[in-house]
């Protein structure tokens, strides 16, 4: 009986959170996606630092991930998924494969490039450090991206309604950001 009550209380919290998210998503879709991207990006970096055993948190890194999430991930995914929905009609034969191919071959590599240059700059490390960061981490991370994200993006593009695709990727990206945080030089 206690377990059933606990479960229903959690369900109520999740439903309230989903209603609140939907409320803001309908009124301010871009801002809502930017905020959720900032939270998941910074949380991923925070978790990576904590799991990495750092005694002192690097708050500048957490803030850099939040800024990148808000100004990079949020708008990029918002507009990219809108573009895909408009450019590739569901009636097109193999529309999901076409969307996935565009995402995997064009969006993912260019977005990862932006990430590897932006984070060191946002951390105040300078352009040389950003370039070094790119040289060391880009190709291994791109290969990992293709392995980690391809099936998840297929699910996202095929089954998740367009207005929730950024949220879906943000939730999964929490784990991806932990990985990327470990790849920062």
């Amino acid at each position: 009986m206690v377990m059933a009550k606990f479960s229903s209380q959690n369900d109520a919290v999740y439903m309230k959170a989903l209603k609140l998210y939907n409320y803001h998503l309908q009124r301010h879709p871009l801002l809502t996606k930017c905020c959720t991207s900032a939270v998941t990006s910074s949380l991923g970096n925070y978790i990576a630092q904590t799991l990495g055993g750092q005694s002192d948190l690097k708050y500048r890194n957490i803030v850099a991930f939040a800024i990148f999430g808000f100004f990079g991930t949020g708008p990029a995914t918002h507009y990219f998924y809108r573009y895909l929905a408009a450019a590739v009609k569901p009636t097109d034969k193999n529309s999901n494969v076409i969307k996935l191919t565009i995402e995997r071959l064009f969006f993912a590599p260019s977005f990862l490039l932006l990430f590897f240059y932006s984070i060191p700059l946002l951390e105040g490390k300078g352009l040389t450090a950003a370039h070094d960061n790119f040289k060391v981490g880009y190709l291994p991370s791109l290969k990992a991206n293709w392995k980690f994200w391809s099936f998840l993006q297929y699910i996202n593009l095929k089954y998740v309604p367009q207005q929730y695709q950024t949220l879906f990727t943000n939730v999964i990206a929490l784990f991806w950001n932990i990985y990327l945080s470990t790849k920062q030089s």
Side-chain angles (χ1 to χ4, degrees), residues 7-104:
S7 179
S8 65
Q9 288 174 344
N10 281 344
D11 290 347
V13 170
Y14 295 133
M15 290 307 295
K16 285 181 184 177
L18 185 59
K19 282 182 182 180
L20 182 63
Y21 180 81
N22 279 327
Y23 172 82
H24 289 288
L25 185 64
Q26 289 174 359
R27 283 153 186 79
H28 308 286
L30 179 58
L31 180 61
T32 302
K33 293 171 187 177
C34 290
C35 290
T36 56
S37 296
V39 169
T40 56
S41 294
S42 58
L43 184 59
N45 183 268
Y46 170 80
I47 292 170
Q49 288 187 49
T50 304
L51 292 177
Q54 287 190 235
S55 56
D56 294 327
L57 288 176
K58 295 179 181 175
Y59 291 103
R60 185 174 233 166
N61 295 34
I62 295 169
V63 171
F65 271 75
I67 292 169
F68 184 78
F70 189 87
F71 292 104
T73 306
T77 55
H78 170 78
Y79 288 113
F80 178 72
Y81 291 131
R82 284 180 56 182
Y83 161 77
L84 275 184
V88 182
K89 301 296 180 199
T91 55
D92 293 346
K93 187 178 180 185
N94 299 318
S95 63
N96 293 313
V97 173
I98 294 167
K99 288 178 182 180
L100 183 64
T101 302
I102 293 168
E103 194 282 332
R104 300 285 65 213

Side-chain angles (χ1 to χ4, degrees), residues 123-155:
E123 292 172 341
K125 294 179 180 175
L127 193 53
T128 301
H131 185 67
D132 292 343
N133 190 46
F134 169 78
K135 286 192 306 189
V136 170
Y138 180 76
L139 282 179
S141 295
L142 181 60
K143 290 175 186 175
N145 178 295
W146 285 336
K147 290 176 186 174
F148 179 81
W149 280 103
S150 293
F151 179 69
L152 296 168
Q153 282 293 26
Y154 179 79
I155 291 170

